[in-house]
Amino acid sequence: MNRFLKTTVVALGILLISAPVFSQVKIGFWGDTIKKKPEPIQSGLSKEQELVRLVGLNFPTPDVDYGGPSPKFWTIGLNDELIFSQVSLTNWAAGGSGSVALNAYVNGMANYAKGKMYWDNRAQLGYGFVQNYDVGYRKSEDRIILDSKWGYQAYKKIYFSASMNFKSQFSPGFNYNSKNEATMKSKFLAPGYLTLGLGMDWKPGNGKVFSLNFAPLTGSMVMVLADSALRVKYGNKFDRPFRWELGAQLKATFTKNFTKNFKVASQLSLFSDYMKNPANIVVYWDVQADYTLNKYFKASLRTNLIYDDKIKITNKEGRERPKVQFKEIFGLSFSYTIGTYKK
């Protein structure tokens, strides 16, 4: 009985294996074998190719990328800095007063470059204060600067360019007299500057160290959304919150790592108003020098110079006239960078 079962199982196995083969043939009248005509192949492939295709369907197809990594056209980064200082005096014979000071800076950039075109965007935000134990709160830093520049290559290192710049501040600023009485001198959009320019951009070398932008067609709007006294202070008519200017702008930007840890960034902007006193040049010059101590700490020196003959500064005698404005901030800062950031 066992032998009969084994024989039956083997016979069924042979029949199942040979069924596809016998399906391709038939037995003639005289017992000869006649090959069955193969069915037409719908794919247009030969029998051998169709066989390879059918076998290949049983195996997973690997994903192969022959093009390498996808190109990256955007470069995005953010740098945050905090500068803190504190002074405490108790029974100090030489005199003085205690204080707490804090300055915060945020610098962000989002730059696009593809082929002959580039688009650079940058935001610089800063705010700082000094809390003096004797005279109270004083603002030490307040700035909003937004820059955007688009360029298209005209010839080698020369680009057609269109640029935008916006400047203002976050909160009111005050002057204090000898009695510690405050007089407001500025606030958000008082003043505010919006500049649009068309011109040419020159980027020698690799274009990362130095650039010179000349925009002979530059329009500027000066906003002083405040009372008439502040409007006059910043060159507007007492009843005009807006002043329009049309002129030429020259802007030079320099950024260089002199050593692995020491970096200097500078930007000089010169503007001449065609419509009023074109010989009186408006000057904005910012310099920042950083020495990196480690991954999170660095020593920073910032200077800002402004000269605008339309802005009146009150001297000790109470007279108002144009003057050079200068600000310097030095400190040890905590710095944190997100993405690929360059100053």
Side-chain angles (χ1 to χ4, degrees):
M1 185 66 178
N2 292 335
R3 187 173 182 181
F4 173 76
L5 289 175
K6 290 181 180 180
T7 303
T8 304
V9 170
V10 172
L12 288 173
I14 294 174
L15 180 61
L16 290 173
I17 294 173
S18 60
V21 177
F22 284 108
S23 66
Q24 302 295 324
V25 299
K26 64 179 182 179
I27 307 300
F29 179 79
W30 301 105
D32 54 336
T33 302
I34 302 174
K35 290 185 178 180
K36 184 179 180 181
K37 185 178 180 180
E39 296 180 359
I41 300 173
Q42 301 297 327
S43 62
L45 303 175
S46 65
K47 293 184 294 183
E48 293 80 5
Q49 292 172 333
E50 181 68 13
L51 178 60
V52 172
R53 186 183 71 83
L54 293 174
V55 173
L57 292 176
N58 297 316
F59 298 91
T61 304
D63 295 328
V64 181
D65 184 6
Y66 297 99
S70 301
K72 294 183 178 180
F73 303 113
W74 282 98
T75 303
I76 299 174
L78 183 70
N79 178 257
D80 304 314
E81 295 182 33
L82 287 175
I83 302 176
F84 174 80
S85 66
Q86 185 264 340
V87 177
S88 178
L89 302 175
T90 304
N91 300 323
W92 193 251
S97 61
S99 65
V100 175
L102 178 67
N103 286 277
Y105 298 94
V106 176
N107 291 277
M109 62 99 175
N111 299 336
Y112 179 86
K114 182 179 181 181
K116 296 183 177 183
M117 188 193 76
Y118 72 87
W119 182 26
D120 294 343
N121 302 277
R122 187 178 181 187
Q124 301 176 70
L125 310 176
Y127 196 84
F129 68 89
V130 176
Q131 180 67 42
N132 190 288
Y133 298 151
D134 291 338
V135 298
Y137 174 89
R138 296 288 188 273
K139 186 173 67 171
S140 60
E141 172 71 311
D142 192 357
R143 59 159 48 187
I144 302 173
I145 300 178
L146 306 176
D147 285 294
S148 183
K149 183 169 65 174
W150 174 89
Y152 190 85
Q153 188 177 32
Y155 177 75
K156 293 184 178 180
K157 306 297 182 179
I158 300 176
Y159 297 78
F160 298 112
S161 69
S163 60
M164 184 279 295
N165 174 264
F166 172 77
K167 294 186 180 77
S168 191
Q169 62 189 48
F170 289 102
S171 65
F174 300 89
N175 275 353
Y176 299 86
N177 59 20
S178 58
K179 298 180 181 180
N180 202 29
E181 295 173 339
T183 302
M184 190 175 71
K185 294 297 183 180
S186 62
K187 65 176 184 177
F188 179 65
L189 294 182
Y193 301 91
L194 178 62
T195 303
L196 301 173
L198 297 175
M200 304 295 290
D201 202 26
W202 177 50
K203 292 186 172 186
N206 60 8
K208 297 181 180 179
V209 176
F210 179 79
S211 71
L212 184 66
N213 182 267
F214 177 61
L217 185 60
T218 299
S220 177
M221 180 175 65
V222 181
M223 298 165 277
V224 187
L225 305 184
D227 57 29
S228 58
L230 280 184
R231 292 172 187 171
V232 174
K233 175 182 175 62
Y234 290 102
N236 290 16
K237 294 182 178 181
F238 73 94
D239 59 343
R240 300 285 181 88
F242 300 98
R243 185 178 81 248
W244 303 93
E245 298 176 333
L246 178 64
Q249 179 176 265
L250 182 68
K251 183 181 290 187
T253 303
F254 174 82
T255 305
K256 185 174 177 60
N257 288 307
F258 288 94
T259 66
K260 181 180 179 181
N261 296 329
F262 183 59
K263 185 175 185 177
V264 174
S266 178
Q267 185 177 87
L268 174 65
S269 177
L270 307 174
F271 177 77
S272 173
D273 186 1
Y274 294 147
M275 299 186 296
K276 186 177 180 180
N277 300 325
N280 294 347
I281 307 299
V282 178
V283 180
Y284 286 88
W285 187 15
D286 297 336
V287 178
Q288 179 175 343
D290 295 323
Y291 187 83
T292 302
L293 303 175
N294 55 40
K295 183 178 179 180
Y296 295 109
F297 291 95
K298 64 182 178 181
S300 299
L301 173 67
R302 286 180 170 84
T303 64
N304 307 110
L305 183 147
I306 300 175
Y307 179 78
D308 187 342
D309 67 303
K310 301 179 184 66
I311 300 177
K312 305 299 188 292
I313 308 298
T314 305
N315 58 20
K316 295 180 180 179
E317 291 77 24
R319 298 178 181 176
E320 293 186 341
R321 63 186 183 89
K323 284 188 175 182
V324 174
Q325 305 171 57
F326 184 76
K327 179 170 63 178
E328 175 264 329
I329 299 176
F330 176 77
L332 179 66
S333 64
F334 171 81
S335 176
Y336 186 74
T337 299
I338 301 173
T340 304
Y341 174 79
K342 64 178 182 179
K343 292 184 178 59

